[in-house]
Amino acid sequence: MEKANKIINGYTDIVEPILKYPRHRELESSMEILSQICDDSFCKNLYKLYEKINNNRVCIVGPGKINNNLKDCEIIAGPEGGLINLYSLGKKMLFVTTDLDSSQKIIGNLNFLSDIKFVHIHGDNLTRVKITNAYFDNVIYTTQILTPYCAIPIGSFTDGDRAIALSMIFNASEIYVYGFNFKKAICPHKDYCFPDYKNIKIKLAEKILTFVSKKLNYSIKRYNEYFIFQRSF
């Protein structure tokens, strides 16, 4: 995927110098699980997403408070934390991004609240990926580094910026983003949360989105309660 290749350096250039995550751990995790799951569903699900998203508007919903019933959103996606908002509105995501660190109540409902699951594999979640792998359908795996396996290597960091970046990769015309706050950690979907560490992560995520937008030719418009990424033609 050409667009994914354009932004792979987002993680390595922005996140690694700050948080010092060992890259070999990323590769070890991907090698241990991804080689077991390459099949035709990978390409079929990618094509399905491209057909639905290409040249259409996508609404990304995060874990923060939203003052919108999303009635005008035909295509909804977002990080696993946004599933709380979708559940309260009786809606379902086309795709969800997750690294499986939410409450087990949310993880257990991923199949019911989202069609396609982008499960992110990184250095410290391999055990949970192995445990939950058998319970999900329509899974596409993502990684933060290049691998030779059936996964999308995408230069994003958090589930939130990954959901937005994926919408750009699938050529959305506009991306409306609700329930995000890059100034304060929001963790209603987690059993545990470390606000100071989370605040560092969301600041890095914001930098990555700026990087990704420039690379993939999207402009950003910010409003009080939401923001919009608009593709430049």
Side-chain angles (χ1 to χ4, degrees), residues 62 77 95 99 151:
F95 73 80
D99 62 358

Coordinates of all heavy atoms in Angstrom, one line a residue, residues 62 77 95 99 151:
G62 N -14.0 9.2 19.1 CA -13.1 8.9 20.2 C -13.8 8.7 21.5 O -15.0 8.7 21.5
A77 N -16.0 5.1 12.2 CA -14.9 4.3 12.6 C -14.3 4.9 13.8 O -14.7 6.0 14.3 CB -13.9 4.1 11.5
F95 N -14.9 0.1 11.0 CA -13.7 -0.5 11.6 C -13.3 0.1 12.9 O -13.7 1.3 13.1 CB -12.6 -0.4 10.5 CG -12.0 0.9 10.3 CD1 -11.0 1.4 11.2 CD2 -12.3 1.7 9.2 CE1 -10.4 2.7 11.1 CE2 -11.7 2.9 9.0 CZ -10.8 3.4 9.9
D99 N -5.3 -2.0 20.3 CA -4.2 -2.8 20.7 C -4.5 -3.6 21.9 O -3.7 -4.1 22.6 CB -2.9 -1.9 20.9 CG -3.1 -0.9 22.1 OD1 -4.2 -0.9 22.6 OD2 -2.1 -0.2 22.4
A151 N 0.2 -7.8 7.2 CA -0.1 -6.7 8.1 C 0.1 -5.4 7.4 O 0.9 -5.4 6.4 CB 0.7 -6.8 9.4

